[in-house]
Amino acid sequence: MIGGQLREAHIATDLGISRSPLREALTKLEEEGLVVKIPYRGAFVVEVSAREVAEIDSVRLRVEPYAAELSAEALRGPERARLLQTVEDLRRAMEKDDIPASIDAHLRFHRLFYDLSEHGVLQSLWHGWETKLRLHLSVDHRTYSDDPHQLVVEHERLAAVALEGDTDAFRQELAAHFPMGLRAQTGDPGEPTPRPA
């Protein structure tokens, strides 16, 4: 229920808890970007538009290759198996049509580059985006219905060029993975929903 109001009294009654821990939980969700509180109106589930996701992707196209470059040394060492495992987790989840597990593997794959970069600003950027991307992917199931196999192949290609340390090839694969982020910069109207990578 994106954009829906969260009525504290009803939720507290349904869960059989007092409103105090509920308020704490809503504050935590607000900090994570999942809830927005509007004075005198209440708390609402955040809305994530296709345009917002496209704008995030347009920035990611510039910074994620840098994160991959910074993480290249770690990926050539002990973290290689971790990267490949996320691709395998994505494949298994897609084969089972397990949307939550596939979203988790999908985002873990991309988060790994930021985590391994050891670059605080890049990590903060990803932290700010991940909740919005997860929410968008959870709502827009069409993201996975077009060609699940292709999504796995795209991540295999991204993993291969990242492990080779080829930043330019990584950027090209990423651009092919979410071309809608590029169109958002030009303000191209009437475009279909982007697929966050």
Side-chain angles (χ1 to χ4, degrees):
M1 190 167 72
I2 303 305
Q5 186 172 10
L6 299 170
R7 301 185 187 282
E8 286 185 18
H10 294 140
I11 296 171
T13 300
D14 288 346
L15 296 177
I17 60 173
S18 71
R19 290 173 82 165
S20 180
L22 178 61
R23 284 191 187 114
E24 289 177 25
L26 290 175
T27 297
K28 175 77 171 158
L29 290 171
E30 183 180 26
E31 289 169 3
E32 293 178 2
L34 291 170
V35 167
V36 61
K37 291 182 181 175
I38 301 173
Y40 308 109
R41 290 192 56 209
F44 295 81
V45 178
V46 75
E47 292 187 42
V48 181
S49 70
R51 180 169 183 83
E52 187 175 6
V53 171
E55 288 173 352
I56 289 170
D57 285 351
S58 71
V59 176
R60 285 179 59 202
L61 185 61
R62 281 143 185 83
V63 300
E64 198 160 312
Y66 182 48
E69 181 181 343
L70 293 176
S71 65
E73 187 175 338
L75 289 172
R76 282 193 289 269
E79 300 295 347
R80 175 188 177 94
R82 203 165 141 204
L83 180 67
L84 297 175
Q85 185 61 53
T86 62
V87 177
E88 184 56 32
D89 291 346
L90 178 61
R91 177 194 311 283
R92 280 200 301 263
M94 297 299 272
E95 286 172 354
K96 295 177 182 175
D97 197 28
D98 185 340
I99 300 297
S102 64
I103 291 170
D104 184 61
H106 191 168
L107 294 175
R108 273 190 294 116
F109 176 90
H110 293 280
R111 183 191 320 127
L112 193 57
F113 299 114
Y114 296 84
D115 287 348
L116 297 178
S117 74
E118 297 185 354
H119 191 294
V121 172
L122 290 175
Q123 291 167 345
S124 293
L125 285 171
W126 177 260
H127 180 73
W129 295 329
E130 184 171 357
T131 299
K132 291 181 179 181
L133 295 175
R134 184 179 299 277
L135 185 58
H136 185 78
L137 288 169
S138 297
V139 171
D140 186 12
H141 293 162
R142 291 172 299 165
T143 299
Y144 290 98
S145 63
D146 292 340
D147 187 354
H149 176 71
Q150 183 59 29
L151 188 65
V152 175
V153 169
E154 289 172 9
H155 283 83
E156 287 173 338
R157 288 182 191 146
L158 281 166
V161 294
L163 291 170
E164 289 167 9
D166 190 337
T167 305
D168 289 334
F170 187 92
R171 183 176 291 106
Q172 291 170 1
E173 289 294 339
L174 199 61
H177 191 45
F178 49 77
M180 301 310 299
L182 298 176
R183 291 195 187 111
Q185 293 179 309
T186 62
D188 198 358
E191 293 298 336
T193 304
R195 183 184 67 219

